[in-house]
Amino acid sequence: MARTVWDSSVGKKTVMAVSGIVMLLYLVAHMIGNLKIYFGAGEFNSYAHWLRTVGEPFMHYEWTLWLIRVVLVVAVVAHATAAYQLSRRDLKARPSKYVHKKARTSYATRTMRWGGIILGPFIVWHLLDLTTGTAHPGGFQAGHPYQNVVDTFSTWYGNVIYIVAMLALGLHIRHGFWSAAQTLGAGGRTRDRVLKTAANVLALLLTAGFIAVPVGVMTGVVS
């Protein structure tokens, strides 16, 4: 049954919707946590330490954090795989371009695939920069995320990569939230306007919230 569902276009869209919601919930929590950087190094570093002790003593040190990471990896892989396969299926269904070249969809819809392509490498860079420290521009300090964040956004390329990725994320969320709602049957004549408004507001808040961190470093508010 699972294979039958996965092989269908509806099944793949459902997987994309559910995995997208999982990632969206994480992004909301992640953005709120990131904004703690405006309260100073002590607050931000304490928050980072708290993430590793959530669930203790029932959960061992970092177990909850690793559980979240595993769920996110599964969600990202499932989302990307379903998106790729649906894209390939769509291209096979219409191997030639449409006769009418005038765009009939929103900018976010047309750039959905490019957004995913941008976000993929960004996630890898982001992890290598601020999680493992492999690609960190300065001397990576384990247990001192505040200083690591300041180091990253003290470089022009760190700001460019992050801001471009967050703009792509905003467009992705704007269309993705709406698509997920339609796939899961939440849409309707009376709810479509509310869902579209919610998608726009959510995309705007997340984009602004994430970009606020490098802006804070660039302006010297966070230093």
Side-chain angles (χ1 to χ4, degrees):
M1 183 180 295
R3 182 58 185 270
T4 302
V5 172
W6 172 251
D7 287 340
S8 68
S9 294
V10 174
K12 293 183 188 300
K13 290 180 180 179
T14 301
V15 169
M16 284 192 68
V18 174
S19 60
I21 291 174
V22 170
M23 290 186 288
L24 183 60
L25 292 173
Y26 167 77
L27 287 171
V28 171
H30 189 41
M31 180 203 69
I32 294 173
N34 281 359
L35 292 177
K36 287 181 177 292
I37 200 168
Y38 279 93
F39 294 94
E43 180 83 10
F44 193 70
N45 290 340
S46 295
Y47 164 69
H49 176 72
W50 172 80
L51 289 175
R52 289 160 172 76
T53 60
V54 174
E56 289 186 344
F58 179 75
M59 298 290 283
H60 194 61
Y61 182 76
E62 285 195 343
W63 278 14
T64 302
L65 183 59
W66 274 105
L67 180 61
I68 294 172
R69 287 170 176 169
V70 170
V71 171
L72 282 173
V73 168
V74 172
V76 169
V77 171
H79 196 80
T81 302
Y84 174 76
Q85 293 182 357
L86 282 170
S87 178
R88 295 293 299 173
R89 186 170 294 182
D90 182 50
L91 290 173
K92 288 181 180 180
R94 53 175 182 83
S96 58
K97 295 183 178 179
Y98 290 125
V99 175
H100 300 286
K101 296 183 179 180
K102 185 177 180 179
R104 298 176 180 272
T105 56
S106 67
Y107 182 77
T109 303
R110 297 195 305 273
T111 57
M112 194 69 174
R113 292 169 184 169
W114 285 109
I117 293 174
I118 291 172
L119 291 172
F122 165 75
I123 292 173
V124 175
W125 171 80
H126 194 51
L127 291 174
L128 292 176
D129 176 28
L130 294 175
T131 300
T132 66
T134 307
H136 191 67
F140 183 78
Q141 301 179 46
H144 295 82
Y146 181 94
Q147 188 58 49
N148 294 332
V149 170
V150 171
D151 288 344
T152 293
F153 296 130
S154 294
T155 62
W156 68 266
Y157 61 87
N159 290 314
V160 170
I161 293 173
Y162 193 85
I163 291 175
V164 169
M166 292 306 99
L167 292 174
L169 177 66
L171 291 174
H172 208 75
I173 290 172
R174 179 173 178 266
H175 178 67
F177 181 85
W178 167 252
S179 297
Q182 298 302 308
T183 298
L184 298 177
R189 291 184 178 180
T190 59
R191 294 189 294 267
D192 281 354
R193 182 174 297 180
V194 175
L195 289 171
K196 287 182 179 180
T197 301
N200 291 332
V201 171
L202 189 60
L204 180 61
L205 288 177
L206 283 172
T207 303
F210 280 118
I211 290 179
V213 177
V215 170
V217 176
M218 284 189 289
T219 57
V221 177
V222 176
S223 62

